[in-house]
């Protein structure tokens, strides 16, 4: 998972061209606005379908709208509702939409195409829940001579659990990244959870699994947590630069309700960390997903009140 995309907790805009599946000739310019904790809006400087200005046929709600940003990134917005259309005799029409989901990195021409091989998700305070020190700082004693300070990364093992009731494996892992500037070197570690089913699944299945994982982590951390990155893998493709086969990644954004963050947690603030329950984790996940249907109504009521 790369870090060149924006967090789901940050606001951003995407400018580009937009069209309906199978009708790319009629592409119109527009701007998509993502506001964390609010709806996704798409404002178009035109109409996606040709229409007689004098005799309009009513507002239409296209389920899927495809797009391409000014820097060439493919986009798909799903489950759209047209909120307004302005028809003018001059031909300068406009239209606005509310969108439930945004996919960056892939064009899905129909909902049936939205099948993924796996999904990686990052939550707030996930590094604190992992509870492991990722770096080793070397601070030698001062002897009056030149002192050299150093930092090295520690090898942190991943934890992989096979969850029978879910029909998938869940992997908890660390990813290191290195960034260098003129006189600055930054070594960063981030934690992710990867969900990989035995066969391709629809994006709705992954969203449900991520939601249930979020509820479980809320109980373990005793704190509100929110997804900051959700990245799906559709297929492998040959990279034009290296010639190697790499995963085609799709960044997924949706409307997050109750987006009011609590204080940032440290490992000492969490009652049950991953390091404390590593051996019991497979059993916990099995029981959690086995009873999810029976307890769904109860935990939906509890966590709606907890987050609100």
């Amino acid at each position: 998972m790369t870090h060149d995309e924006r967090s789901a907790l940050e606001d951003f805009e995407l400018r580009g061209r937009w069209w309906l599946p199978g009708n790319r000739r009629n592409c119109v310019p527009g701007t998509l606005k993502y506001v964390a904790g609010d709806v996704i809006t798409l404002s178009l400087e035109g109409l996606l379908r040709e229409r007689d200005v004098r005799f309009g046929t009513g507002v239409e709600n296209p389920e899927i709208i495809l797009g391409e940003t000014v820097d060439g990134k493919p986009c798909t917005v799903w489950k759209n509702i047209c909120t307004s259309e302005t028809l003018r005799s001059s031909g300068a029409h406009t239209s606005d939409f509310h969108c439930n989901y945004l996919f960056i990195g892939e064009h899905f021409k129909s909902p049936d195409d939205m099948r993924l091989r796996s999904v990686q998700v990052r939550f707030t305070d996930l590094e604190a829940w992992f509870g492991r020190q990722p770096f080793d700082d070397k601070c030698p004693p001062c002897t009056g001579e030149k002192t050299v300070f150093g930092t090295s990364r520690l090898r942190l093992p991943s934890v992989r659990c096979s969850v029978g009731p879910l029909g998938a494996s869940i992997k908890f892992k660390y990813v290191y990244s290195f960034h260098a500037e003129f006189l600055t070197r930054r070594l960063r570690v981030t934690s992710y959870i990867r969900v990989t089913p035995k066969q391709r699944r629809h994006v709705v299945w992954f969203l449900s699994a991520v939601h249930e994982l979020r509820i479980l982590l809320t109980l373990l951390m005793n704190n509100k947590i929110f997804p900051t990155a959700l990245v799906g893998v559709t297929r492998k493709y040959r990279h034009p630069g290296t010639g190697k086969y790499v995963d085609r990644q799709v960044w997924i954004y949706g409307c997050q309700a109750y987006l009011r963050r609590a204080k940032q947690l440290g490992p000492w603030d969490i009652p049950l960390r991953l390091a404390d329950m590593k051996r019991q984790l497979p059993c916990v996940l099995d029981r959690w997903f086995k009873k999810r249907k029976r307890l769904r109504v109860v935990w939906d009521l509890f966590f709606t009140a907890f987050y609100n």
Side-chain angles (χ1 to χ4, degrees):
M1 182 185 290
T2 59
H3 301 278
D4 57 348
E5 298 294 338
R6 300 169 182 84
S7 166
L9 303 182
E10 300 175 358
D11 302 342
F12 61 85
E13 292 186 1
L14 297 176
R15 300 179 183 272
R17 300 177 300 170
W18 308 86
W19 64 91
L20 294 178
N23 192 21
R24 187 161 185 170
R25 291 183 178 180
N26 189 37
C27 61
V28 295
T31 302
L32 183 140
K33 293 183 180 180
Y34 174 86
V35 179
D38 204 347
V39 297
I40 304 171
T41 59
L42 177 62
S43 301
L44 301 180
E45 300 172 10
L47 302 180
L48 294 174
R49 287 190 177 94
E50 296 180 358
R51 180 172 301 180
D52 193 325
V53 177
R54 296 171 301 172
F55 305 100
T57 57
V59 176
E60 299 180 5
N61 299 318
E63 186 174 17
I64 290 179
I65 300 176
L66 304 179
E68 185 177 71
T69 63
V70 292
D71 54 352
K73 292 182 180 179
C75 299
T76 303
V77 285
W78 184 37
K79 293 188 177 182
N80 311 294
I81 298 176
C82 183
T83 57
S84 67
E85 275 190 355
T86 303
L87 306 177
R88 299 184 176 91
S89 58
S90 61
H93 312 316
T94 59
S95 51
D96 298 290
F97 298 87
H98 281 180
C99 315
N100 282 288
Y101 296 100
L102 165 66
F103 304 91
I104 301 178
E106 189 68 84
H107 282 152
F108 296 113
K109 297 181 179 180
S110 70
D112 294 336
D113 297 337
M114 298 177 181
R115 295 188 174 273
L116 307 175
R117 295 173 58 236
S118 64
V119 156
Q120 291 187 133
V121 58
R122 182 186 178 193
F123 293 103
T124 54
D125 299 319
L126 192 59
E127 288 81 10
W129 180 68
F130 274 37
R132 297 291 297 272
Q133 173 64 30
F135 303 111
D136 182 20
D137 297 330
K138 298 178 180 179
C139 300
C142 296
T143 58
E145 300 178 356
K146 185 178 181 180
T147 304
V148 178
F149 298 89
T151 299
S152 60
R153 69 177 190 179
L154 300 176
R155 184 177 178 85
L156 301 177
S158 302
V159 179
R160 183 181 180 276
C161 303
S162 180
V163 185
L166 187 61
S169 63
I170 299 179
K171 188 175 183 179
F172 304 83
K173 67 173 187 176
Y174 300 86
V175 177
Y176 287 93
S177 61
F178 179 76
H179 179 71
E181 293 181 356
F182 179 59
L183 293 176
T184 304
R185 302 293 185 270
R186 184 175 65 180
L187 187 61
R188 179 184 178 188
V189 62
T190 50
S191 306
Y192 293 95
I193 301 176
R194 167 176 275 182
V195 181
T196 306
K198 295 180 180 178
Q199 58 184 358
R200 289 177 179 267
R201 292 283 188 172
H202 196 272
V203 66
V204 175
W205 183 91
F206 284 102
L207 293 174
S208 177
V210 169
H211 175 68
E212 291 159 359
L213 274 174
R214 177 188 178 188
I215 292 175
L216 175 60
L217 290 174
T218 300
L219 285 176
L220 298 177
M221 296 186 189
N222 192 28
N223 193 57
K224 301 175 183 178
I225 64 171
F226 300 94
T228 61
L230 186 61
V231 182
V233 175
T234 56
R235 64 183 187 277
K236 288 186 177 293
Y237 74 102
R238 186 185 292 273
H239 193 277
T242 62
K244 298 181 179 180
Y245 283 94
V246 295
D247 292 332
R248 171 77 71 180
Q249 294 184 338
V250 181
W251 290 73
I252 305 171
Y253 299 88
C255 303
Q256 296 194 54
Y258 320 119
L259 192 57
R260 290 187 293 272
R261 285 206 58 187
K263 68 172 185 178
Q264 185 174 357
L265 299 181
W268 51 86
D269 297 319
I270 298 177
L272 289 173
R273 296 174 296 177
L274 176 62
D276 301 327
M277 54 180 300
K278 184 176 179 180
R279 294 183 179 180
Q280 295 81 11
L281 187 60
C283 181
V284 171
L285 292 173
D286 270 345
R287 292 185 178 182
W288 180 258
F289 284 98
K290 186 177 181 179
K291 298 181 178 180
R292 66 187 188 278
K293 293 183 179 179
R294 187 188 311 173
L295 300 177
R296 184 180 298 276
V297 176
V298 177
W299 75 35
D300 281 347
L301 290 174
F302 175 77
F303 287 100
T304 299
F306 183 81
Y307 274 84
N308 199 19

